[in-house]
Amino acid sequence: MFEKVLIANRGEIALRIHRACREMGIHTVAVHSTADADAMHVRLADESVCIGPPSARDSYLNIPAILSAATITGADAIHPGIGFMAENAQFAEMVEEHGFTFIGPTPEHIRIMGDKVTAKRTVQSLGMPCVPGSDGPLDTVEDALATAKRIGYPVLIKAAAGGGGKGMKVALGPEQLREAYQLARGEARGAFGNDQVYMEKYLAKPRHIEIQVLADTHGNAVHFGERDCSVQRRHQKVVEEGPSPALNAEQRAHIGGIAANVVRELGYRGVGTIEFLFEDGQFYFIEMNTRLQVEHTVTEMITGIDLVREQIRVAAGAPLGYGQDAIRFQGHSIECRINAEHPDTFMPSPGRIDGYHAPGGLGVRVDSALYDGYRIPPHYDSLIAKLVVHGASRNECLMRLRRALEEFVIGGVETSLPLHRRIISEPDFINGSYDIHWLEHLLGLKG
Ligand code: ADP
């Protein structure tokens, strides 16, 4: 097992990884920008190294600085966390070239899944159901028009290098498609430096359902069931839950089995998430994330398994040591992503925390790096806390979530707490009847 792990991230996820390491008897090294010198992940780590100025480009994305920090502290492995370097194949490659273990998949697997066109082709050849669409990238607007004619409108143009919902455009007919095609290419070029786009049939009322997988380096792979992440705004997840109110045990075992089989066939290692749209009882693959996800906590609550610990174990070469039968699902879990942002305009709201009280009690987990007096810097993601609740049943979970949201106090900045209180009081949410458009309709953002 590793003796020392460098955590190449910040905020709640750096803390989450530190906690797993601590419980495994592994020393931790935090890295931080000058804006994060007082951050909780720095305070709790055994050692810390400043890797640059506030801008992420010069610090958390600065590969030479991170590798130097690992060298001078004598770390054996680097955990990239979520975002920043987590899906950067070149970083994974350089980490290993410098003699450290990358806690994540091989650079090759990151590369395959990072290009969504290649990803779709790869998993489709292994029996994964996919959304009907173009067979590859669309090089010209004529290609796009011909593909749309074949699969039928409405269609969605997506960026091959996509992420965070960027570069996606819907078209209801040929005129709109001409425009959407150019817009999507421009947006993709700006966001990812790669303007390759592809097309999918636009599904009208799907749910977003994803399967958590884990594979070791000895040919074993398992799945940990699903998370329903259909409550979204601008294709970004806001609330996640597991199990999905829309699936039964048979559907879970079916799609989970396919997902575990695909990662086994690929020779994948580590944790991963296979994302699907689910409509009229059918699953359609959309992408695979080759990293830990924000909402991994939901799965931990219903399986009792520490996924970060598992991720570190398999990175160190340990065999899983258990099969699919050992994974049991108990009760229900819901996570609210709490952002420092205005609840109506969604504008970021950085600033100093003045008054902080986190809820507690049975079945309540708060993953956050906040503390009273902490100053949220304006340079990074606005996620400041994850409230994750567990209950024996979905109803118990909802009641517990309601009281936990009532107790939660985050003063000094605007947060999305009021939005969450509203979402969980809506009859549709209480009944579990929502799709990926539901939240935007509720907020009046869609006609
Ligand atoms: P990204 O990597 O940018 O997050 P995804 O492919 O994961 O992109 O899609 C993000 C979200 O966009 C999905 O959860 C869903 O809400 C929506 N979406 C993606 N593909 C489709 C589709 N074919 N039809 C309808 N909605 C889609």
Side-chain angles (χ1 to χ4, degrees), residues 2 4-9 17 21 29 31 63 65-71 73 75-81 85 91-92 94-96 98-104 269 311-312 315:
F2 308 121
K4 198 186 267 192
V5 168
L6 181 140
I7 303 164
N9 218 297
I17 297 159
C21 289
V29 180
V31 292
I63 298 179
I66 295 168
L67 293 177
S68 305
T71 304
T73 54
D76 332 274
I78 299 184
H79 196 309
M85 295 304 199
F91 177 66
M94 290 179 75
V95 165
E96 308 231 307
H98 282 76
F100 308 109
T101 301
F102 179 72
I103 303 180
R269 67 163 196 229
Q311 190 183 22
I312 295 170

Side-chain angles (χ1 to χ4, degrees), residues 116 131 156 158 162-166 168 200-203 206 208 232 235 275 277 286-287 436:
K116 293 172 149 198
V131 189
L156 186 64
K158 298 174 81 170
K166 291 198 195 82
M168 261 191 250
E200 278 179 1
K201 174 100 187 137
Y202 181 71
L203 301 179
H208 173 117
Q232 302 183 350
H235 307 300
E275 297 193 335
L277 295 178
I286 46 172
E287 68 164 338
I436 59 167

Side-chain angles (χ1 to χ4, degrees), residues 19 120 169 201 207 311 337 400 402 421:
R19 286 172 173 154
K120 256 182 110 167
K169 299 280 169 232
K201 174 100 187 137
R207 296 179 83 110
Q311 190 183 22
R337 292 191 189 201
R400 186 163 284 156
R402 175 162 314 139
R421 293 187 185 113

Side-chain angles (χ1 to χ4, degrees), residues 146-167:
T147 307
K149 202 166 173 187
R150 176 168 61 79
I151 63 175
Y153 290 92
V155 295
L156 186 64
I157 303 280
K158 298 174 81 170
K166 291 198 195 82

Side-chain angles (χ1 to χ4, degrees), residues 251-274:
Q251 289 166 315
R252 173 170 311 115
H254 169 71
I255 197 65
I258 294 178
N261 189 49
V262 164
V263 292
R264 197 177 301 113
E265 291 285 319
L266 281 171
Y268 185 83
R269 67 163 196 229
V271 298
T273 297
I274 305 194

Side-chain angles (χ1 to χ4, degrees), residues 105-123:
T106 60
E108 184 203 351
H109 285 138
I110 298 177
R111 234 172 234 131
I112 292 175
M113 297 304 167
D115 177 342
K116 293 172 149 198
V117 172
T118 314
K120 256 182 110 167
R121 273 201 191 127
T122 307
V123 300

